[in-house]
């Protein structure tokens, strides 16, 4: 199988690495990729891994590249090209695509659309008002009271949500959005659950938890994600089955009934509230950094799994298989992230950090001559596997300590509460 991976971040590095672990995958091409993907060693004799410089917003160029490479499968990583409809011309060209159509990707592209789908499918979620004027937003904010939850209706790279006790901050965020959702605050721990689907069959992955706030103790501004871990030792044994039955399958069924079947990765962000499971949001692609924690745990060959979803044959695939272990991913971010991350700082120590249990996935890196430098806010995700959370955390943070980036920042408490048994339902 020849696979083209579209994207350039840490998620795409993890996907490319995961594909090299599948003996049925002959070639992995990342467009445009990143220095970490370009340096990947093939997993099997005869396998090749390369990057191609491509503007992913130019759909015709991506289709032409897939044709040139004779790609058997195209995996679209980021949300922006999916919401822009990249999967559609690829499918029209007869190429198998892992990723939803433009219409189905609205599940992430418009939070108002997602709420409508959930309402029709009786999927449990928080109450919300859709507002288009400052006056409407103010009325909704006062109706719910603090803490205020204000969400940009459109894409915002994981940073379009403000949760605050400060009414003025909530109103200011709402004023900066063309259309905004004001939602009730959902208590309880949050869970990310990904599902592979071909539009009919749903295969859930194991649950993960990510950390959106910049600083320890869930302080500071929202980010794209500062770390993640999987599985969740505190989660009920029937959690995945419950979410699949009440959330994932009904949503996939509703999109199919609307004539816009969802094929690809459906990501449910959930709160386990005192009143039960509630959907916070849906995404239409693998999450970052949860993917960097999840894929090192997956025993099922990735290429065959994604191809089965892309070709409507997931029902014949069988359940997913996982390592009996734990994975922790810690994000190393650039100085001044998320406000104005500094670029061009030299990155050192990755070779020393990596070993059989630790992988460093590139997210915001570039080459300046022969030097690896920072080129984005979230620079790296350091992912470690261990027999339990204590060992995985120890390995991840030991590796983070070997990486040197001037002014870099990272959280020191990823999965710490779970390790200590401090998360309860």
């Amino acid at each position: 199988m020849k696979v083209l991976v579209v994207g350039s971040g840490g998620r795409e590095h993890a996907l490319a690495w995961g594909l090299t672990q599948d003996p049925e995958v002959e070639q992995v091409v990342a467009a445009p990729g990143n220095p970490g993907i370009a340096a990947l060693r093939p997993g099997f004799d005869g396998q090749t891994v390369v990057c191609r410089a491509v503007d992913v917003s130019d759909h015709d160029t991506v289709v032409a590249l897939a044709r040139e490479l004779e790609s058997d499968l195209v995996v679209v990583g980021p949300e922006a090209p999916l919401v822009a409809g990249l999967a559609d011309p690829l499918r029209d060209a007869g190429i198998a695509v892992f990723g939803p159509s433009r219409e189905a990707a609205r599940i992430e592209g418009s939070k108002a659309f997602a709420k409508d789908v959930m309402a029709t499918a009786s999927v449990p979620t928080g109450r919300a008002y859709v507002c288009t004027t400052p006056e409407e937003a103010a009325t909704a904010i006062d109706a719910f009271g603090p803490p205020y939850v204000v969400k940009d209706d459109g894409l915002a790279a994981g940073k379009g949500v403000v949760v605050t006790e400060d009414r003025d901050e909530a109103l200011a965020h709402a004023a900066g959005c063309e259309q905004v959702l004001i939602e009730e605050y959902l208590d309880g721990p949050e869970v990310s659950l990904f599902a592979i689907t071909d539009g009919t069959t749903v295969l859930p992955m194991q649950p993960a938890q990510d950390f959106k706030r910049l600083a320890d103790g869930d302080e500071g501004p929202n980010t794209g994600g500062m770390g993640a871990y999987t599985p969740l030792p505190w989660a009920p044994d029937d959690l995945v089955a419950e979410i699949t039955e009440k959330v994932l399958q009904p949503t996939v069924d509703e999109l199919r009934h609307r004539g816009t079947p969802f094929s690809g990765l459906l990501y449910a962000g959930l709160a386990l509230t005192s009143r039960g499971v509630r959907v916070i949001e849906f995404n239409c692609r693998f999450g970052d950094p949860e993917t960097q924690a999840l894929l090192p745990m997956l025993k099922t060959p990735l290429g065959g799994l994604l191809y089965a979803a892309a070709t409507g044959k997931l029902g014949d695939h069988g359940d997913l298989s996982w390592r009996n272990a734990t994975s922790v991913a810690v994000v190393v971010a650039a100085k001044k992230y998320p406000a104005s991350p500094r670029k061009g700082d030299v990155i050192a120590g990755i070779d020393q950090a990596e070993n059989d249990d630790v992988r460093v996935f590139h997210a915001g890196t570039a080459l300046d001559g022969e030097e690896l430098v920072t080129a984005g806010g979230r620079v790296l995700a350091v992912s470690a596997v261990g027999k339990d959370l204590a060992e995985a955390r120890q390995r991840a943070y030991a590796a983070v300590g070997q990486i040197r980036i001037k002014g870099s920042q990272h959280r020191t408490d990823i999965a710490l509460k779970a390790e200590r048994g401090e998360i309860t339902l």
Side-chain angles (χ1 to χ4, degrees), residues 4-13 16 28-39 49-58 61-62 65 69 74-78 81 86 362-363 365-367:
L4 172 61
V5 178
V6 175
S8 61
R11 162 186 45 231
E12 289 75 42
H13 187 177
V28 179
V29 176
N34 64 40
I37 299 174
V49 185
V50 297
C51 293
R52 292 284 294 269
V54 169
D55 178 0
V56 300
S57 66
D58 186 339
T61 298
V62 177
L65 177 60
L69 297 169
V74 176
V75 179
V76 184
L86 175 58
H362 293 223
T365 69
L367 289 174

Side-chain angles (χ1 to χ4, degrees), residues 156-399:
K159 297 185 286 290
V161 181
V162 164
V163 181
T164 180
E165 298 278 348
D166 187 327
R167 184 176 182 274
D168 290 339
E169 182 183 2
L171 290 171
H173 184 66
C177 304
E178 185 175 336
Q179 181 165 282
V180 67
L181 270 74
I182 312 299
E183 297 191 0
E184 69 172 318
Y185 177 76
L186 298 175
D187 63 347
E190 295 185 11
V191 172
S192 301
L193 187 62
F194 300 173
I196 309 290
T197 180
D198 59 4
T200 301
T201 299
V202 173
L203 286 185
M205 303 185 83
Q206 66 182 26
Q209 187 175 58
D210 77 331
F211 296 76
K212 290 295 187 187
R213 297 286 189 172
L214 178 67
D216 287 4
D218 292 325
E219 298 291 334
N222 260 5
T223 71
M226 294 299 292
Y229 69 97
T230 185
L232 311 180
W234 48 267
D237 291 340
D238 64 347
L239 180 65
V240 172
E242 179 186 0
I243 295 170
T244 302
E245 177 187 354
K246 294 182 178 180
V247 174
L248 298 170
Q249 191 70 58
T251 301
V252 168
D253 291 345
E254 172 60 22
L255 288 168
R256 186 178 67 254
H257 294 155
R258 291 182 179 215
T260 57
F262 188 104
S263 173
L265 191 290
L266 182 62
Y267 168 142
L270 308 136
L272 306 188
T273 76
S274 54
R275 294 173 292 139
V277 171
R278 296 290 186 272
V279 175
I280 299 171
E281 65 177 358
F282 282 119
N283 293 326
C284 65
R285 39 68 193 183
F286 280 98
D288 184 337
E290 296 101 322
T291 302
Q292 293 92 308
L294 277 163
L295 290 188
M297 297 283 289
L298 183 66
K299 292 171 65 177
T300 300
L302 184 63
L305 171 63
L306 303 187
Y307 186 76
T311 55
K313 298 177 181 177
L314 202 58
D316 301 326
H317 185 277
D319 292 337
L320 305 185
S321 177
W322 299 92
R323 295 174 63 179
N324 183 23
T326 295
S327 178
V328 173
V330 179
V331 168
V332 179
K335 185 175 183 178
K336 297 186 178 180
Y337 174 76
S340 55
R342 196 167 71 185
K343 299 180 180 180
D345 288 316
V346 174
I347 304 167
I350 290 179
D351 289 344
Q352 291 75 25
E354 290 192 308
N355 54 52
D356 290 343
D357 301 308
V358 177
R359 290 169 187 86
V360 179
F361 295 113
H362 293 223
T365 69
L367 289 174
D368 182 3
E370 295 186 358
E371 281 191 321
L372 186 68
V373 298
T374 60
R378 293 185 297 166
V379 180
L380 305 167
V382 179
S383 179
V385 174
K387 66 179 183 291
D388 54 24
L389 272 176
E391 185 172 79
R393 290 190 75 253
Q394 187 277 323
R395 288 172 174 173
Y397 280 108

Side-chain angles (χ1 to χ4, degrees), residues 64-142:
L65 177 60
R67 282 177 165 155
E68 174 198 332
L69 297 169
E70 298 181 338
S71 300
D72 299 294
L73 173 67
V74 176
V75 179
V76 184
E79 62 273 21
L82 287 168
V83 172
L86 175 58
D88 296 322
L90 286 162
R91 286 198 178 94
D92 291 344
I95 300 165
V97 183
F98 184 81
S101 66
R102 179 200 294 266
E103 283 300 310
R106 291 178 67 203
I107 199 78
E108 177 170 2
S110 169
K111 293 176 178 62
F113 173 78
K115 288 289 187 182
D116 182 67
V117 170
M118 286 187 273
T120 306
S122 299
V123 170
T125 186
R127 293 178 297 122
Y129 295 104
V130 179
C131 306
T132 56
T133 68
E135 293 76 19
E136 290 176 350
T139 299
I141 283 171
D142 291 337

